[in-house]
Amino acid sequence: MLYLATPSGPDVRAAMSAGHLGCMTTPAQGNRVPDGAFYACDNGKFGKGWPGADAWYTWLTRTVTRYGADRCLWAVAPDIPFDAAGTLTESLPWLTRIRDLGIPAAFAAQDGCDQLDGGLPWDAFDVLFLAGSTEWKIGPVAERLSREAHERGKSVHMGRVNSRQRLGIAGWFGCETADGTYLAFGPNQNLPKLMSWLGEIGHAPSLCATDRHTPEPRRPRHRRPSRPSLVAQHGQHSAPPVPLLPGQEPLWSL
C-alpha cells in the first residue's frame, strides 16, 4: 500500500522522492510535488478547498501538465460528501474529462451508493475512492465494493486514514493507496511510526536507504502499457524483500 500525504517537512519530502510515500495535492494546498514523487489529485470538496468546477479543472490540467501524467496515480471527480445520489450526478460529467488528461479517474463512493438505481458507474472510472462517513467506509458494504472493484480490475483508495487500526482495515480491504493528515502534525515523530505500520500490514522500504538500489515500493495497479504494475511483476500477495532499520525486527507481509 502506498500512503499519500501532504509534503510536510524535508524528511517527508525525501521519502516521497524516494518512492516510499506518495503526495496528495489539492487545489488549495499550494505545495510543490517533490521531485520524482508519485501524486494524486483530490478535489477539495471535503473541507473548504473547493474552488468551483471550472477553476478545479483548470488547476487539474495545470498540475498534470507540470508534473506529468505518468506520475499521477489518479484524480477524484467532484463529489458531494455523504450524498451518494448527489455525487453520482456531480461526478459523471467529469470522469471522462479526467481520463482525457491521460490519468486514471477516481469515483468517491458515499454512504448508500450501493443502493443507487443502476449501481455504481463501474465502466466510467478506474479507482474506487472510499469516502463517506467513517462508519460506512470501514463497514461491510465498503468492503464488498472493494472486493468487487478488484474483481473488475479497478484500484481502491481509502481516505482519512490516520491510525494504525484504520490503516489495517484499508490493508484488509486490499486498498492500493490510502491518505490522511497523520504526517501534517509532528512529521519528524510520526514518519517512522507510519513506516512501521505500513511494514506491519504489508510492505515498506527502509528509511535509512537513500539510493535507488532499494526495492521498488508497491504501486497501484493502474493499466499503463509503458509501466507494468508490481502486481504483475511480483504477484498480488507478495512483495520484494524489505531492508530493515538497525535493530528492527523482521516485518511480516500479506
Side-chain angles (χ1 to χ4, degrees):
M1 184 192 306
L2 187 66
Y3 190 86
L4 312 178
T6 55
S8 305
D11 290 343
V12 173
R13 298 183 70 88
M16 290 178 177
S17 292
H20 302 339
L21 299 171
C23 181
M24 179 66 89
T25 185
T26 71
Q29 185 184 96
N31 291 319
R32 180 178 60 83
V33 174
D35 293 341
F38 293 101
Y39 67 96
C41 299
D42 202 350
N43 57 38
K45 278 278 195 170
F46 185 81
K48 300 180 180 180
W50 174 243
D54 291 339
W56 161 76
Y57 194 73
T58 298
W59 164 82
L60 179 61
T61 302
R62 185 171 61 247
T63 298
V64 173
T65 300
R66 179 179 182 182
Y67 298 112
D70 60 326
R71 290 166 56 190
C72 185
L73 301 171
W74 45 261
V76 62
D79 63 313
I80 299 181
F82 315 114
D83 183 343
T87 290
L88 182 63
T89 300
E90 185 89 354
S91 294
L92 278 177
W94 293 104
L95 293 169
T96 298
R97 296 189 65 181
I98 292 172
R99 284 176 165 177
D100 287 344
L101 297 175
I103 61 177
F107 177 78
Q110 313 283 353
D111 307 44
C113 65
D114 58 313
Q115 301 174 19
L116 293 170
D117 291 340
L120 297 183
W122 291 106
D123 292 338
F125 66 86
D126 309 291
V127 180
L128 180 70
F129 186 124
L130 298 177
S133 68
T134 298
E135 293 75 14
W136 183 84
K137 75 169 56 184
I138 64 174
V141 174
E143 180 181 0
R144 176 174 59 79
L145 290 175
S146 298
R147 309 295 182 202
E148 183 175 354
H150 288 134
E151 290 173 359
R152 292 174 176 268
K154 315 291 183 182
S155 296
V156 180
H157 173 83
M158 182 181 287
R160 305 200 310 276
V161 176
N162 295 303
S163 68
R164 170 62 179 83
Q165 181 181 28
R166 188 78 55 82
L167 197 67
I169 293 172
W172 173 251
F173 286 8
C175 293
E176 283 80 6
T177 55
D179 81 272
T181 57
Y182 184 72
L183 294 180
F185 307 99
N188 292 339
Q189 295 78 19
N190 290 337
L191 179 58
K193 293 180 182 178
L194 175 64
M195 298 306 294
S196 177
W197 294 347
L198 288 167
E200 289 169 7
I201 68 164
H203 172 68
S206 169
L207 285 178
C208 54
T210 58
D211 57 37
R212 288 293 180 176
H213 297 292
T214 56
E216 186 180 358
R218 191 188 303 275
R219 291 294 322 288
R221 296 173 294 176
H222 299 316
R223 293 189 178 90
R224 291 196 179 100
S226 61
R227 295 172 57 221
S229 68
L230 283 186
V231 171
Q233 296 175 28
H234 301 287
Q236 184 172 358
H237 298 294
S238 64
V242 181
L244 302 177
L245 294 168
Q248 182 181 16
E249 294 295 326
L251 301 171
W252 62 271
S253 64
L254 297 175

